[in-house]
Amino acid sequence: MTTAETTKTPAALGPRALAWRRRRASAARFWKEYRRHRAGVFGLAALVLFALVALTAPLTVGSDVSSVTDAPGRPLESPSGHFPLGTDQFGRNLLGLVIWGSRVSLLVGLLAAVLSVAIGAVIGITAGHFRGWYATVMMRVTDWFLVMPTLVLAIALATVMSRSLGTIVLAIGVTTWPTTARLVRAQTLAVESRPYIERAKALGGGHWHIMSRHVLPNVMPLVLAQTTLIISSAILAEATLAFLGLGDPTVVSWGGLLQDAREAGAVSSGDWWYLVPPGVAIAVVALAFTLCGRAVESVLNPRLGVSR
């Protein structure tokens, strides 16, 4: 936008330019409030660092780091100058494996969280809008998923389906959506009780118009905050399923590294370098996403009064 355009009054701007101007102003306000949360800034910095490490993994460690036949070291070497984190049971560089595994763990966590939040948002919005028998059925299904152990359901799905990353994403996504559905439905009921919704209905607004133009924009902040919180749970769930041997054996992930360490007897033999790096990586990423989620939730809902 040029200097002349920035000095125009809102009435002189076109609808599209005015919309973009409001979005930029809203984003600036959000970032200003977000920066006040030190924990959230720390979490964001950690996530940016992990994202850069994952994106640059093909350049820094190469795609052959997981090759068993071309392993550069001896099995279970302790950390040294050549291998900062030691080697695994096949003689592979453990630092390279941890870096390469970040790609799979972060990708599965993000995709599973998006799937979970999408299912929960759709069910929550529709159940809050249509009500009646549809809402009753959807909420009873949601309650059933809430009382069932999430990990048990995910293990059951991962067991009966093929062992692949898609299976892991599906197993996590379809078992972690009930909380989002409950929260979104409550927010939808609050939004639809406002007077402008009645005016929109009186003017002929249909169900799709009400849900997409009025309800969805108002529940999006809640959906965004819920997504950042669920990602950490999804990463932990992926690591758990991989540790239990239900992940894709052809890919490297942090949970898969812990599973390999268990099979190699790293716990009993005292090979701590095989267990600590992937475990710490999982804990730090999960904590970073949680800190970001809490900060986003606090910014979007200042009444929470989260300490900064």
Side-chain angles (χ1 to χ4, degrees):
M1 183 176 290
T2 62
T3 305
E5 289 177 332
T6 56
T7 57
K8 290 183 179 180
T9 61
L13 293 173
R16 182 173 298 180
L18 182 59
W20 278 107
R21 182 176 179 178
R22 289 175 176 173
R23 290 169 185 168
R24 282 193 293 269
S26 178
R29 288 194 301 270
F30 174 85
W31 175 241
K32 181 180 179 180
E33 291 296 323
Y34 186 91
R35 286 184 301 177
R36 298 181 180 179
H37 297 262
R38 297 180 180 178
V41 173
F42 171 80
L44 181 60
L47 291 181
V48 170
L49 178 61
F50 272 97
L52 290 176
V53 168
L55 292 174
T56 59
L59 300 177
T60 56
V61 299
S63 58
D64 60 343
V65 67
S66 60
S67 175
V68 177
T69 57
D70 298 330
R74 292 179 290 104
L76 298 177
E77 285 190 44
S78 60
S80 61
H82 191 56
F83 300 111
L85 297 183
T87 62
D88 68 351
Q89 57 182 330
F90 304 109
R92 298 177 297 181
N93 184 4
L94 198 56
L95 176 60
L97 292 175
V98 172
I99 292 175
W100 191 262
S102 64
R103 297 168 62 87
V104 174
S105 296
L106 292 177
L107 178 63
V108 171
L110 289 171
L111 293 180
V114 169
L115 177 61
S116 172
V117 171
I119 296 174
V122 170
I123 292 179
I125 292 175
T126 55
H129 176 79
F130 291 107
R131 307 182 189 182
W133 67 268
Y134 174 81
T136 301
V137 172
M138 288 295 99
M139 289 300 99
R140 296 297 78 77
V141 173
T142 302
D143 292 339
W144 184 83
F145 274 94
L146 278 174
V147 298
M148 289 294 293
T150 300
L151 182 59
V152 174
L153 290 176
I155 291 175
L157 286 175
T159 302
V160 299
M161 300 177 67
S162 61
R163 296 173 62 182
S164 64
L165 293 181
T167 297
I168 297 297
V169 171
L170 184 64
I172 298 173
V174 301
T175 57
T176 57
W177 57 266
T179 302
T180 303
R182 277 290 183 183
L183 293 174
V184 171
R185 180 176 182 268
Q187 184 69 12
T188 301
L189 292 175
V191 171
E192 295 216 352
S193 65
R194 296 172 183 173
Y196 69 86
I197 298 293
E198 295 296 330
R199 291 196 295 268
K201 293 179 179 178
L203 294 174
H207 297 299
W208 175 253
H209 176 82
I210 298 297
M211 289 188 292
S212 62
R213 295 297 183 89
H214 298 290
V215 176
L216 183 59
N218 283 279
V219 302
M220 276 305 295
L222 176 63
V223 170
L224 176 62
Q226 191 67 10
T227 301
T228 57
L229 293 174
I230 290 180
I231 289 176
S232 60
S233 300
I235 291 176
L236 291 174
E238 184 277 332
T240 302
L241 293 176
F243 177 74
L244 295 175
L246 299 175
D248 190 346
T250 63
V251 299
V252 178
S253 69
W254 292 334
L257 290 176
L258 292 177
Q259 163 67 3
D260 293 340
R262 184 185 66 84
E263 291 181 347
V267 178
S268 58
S269 60
D271 299 330
W272 59 267
W273 61 88
Y274 205 167
L275 294 166
V276 173
V280 170
I282 293 171
V284 171
V285 170
L287 176 62
F289 272 112
T290 301
L291 292 177
C292 288
R294 295 301 183 188
V296 170
E297 193 176 16
S298 179
V299 171
L300 298 178
N301 188 6
R303 290 176 297 179
L304 292 176
V306 178
S307 59
R308 296 171 181 175

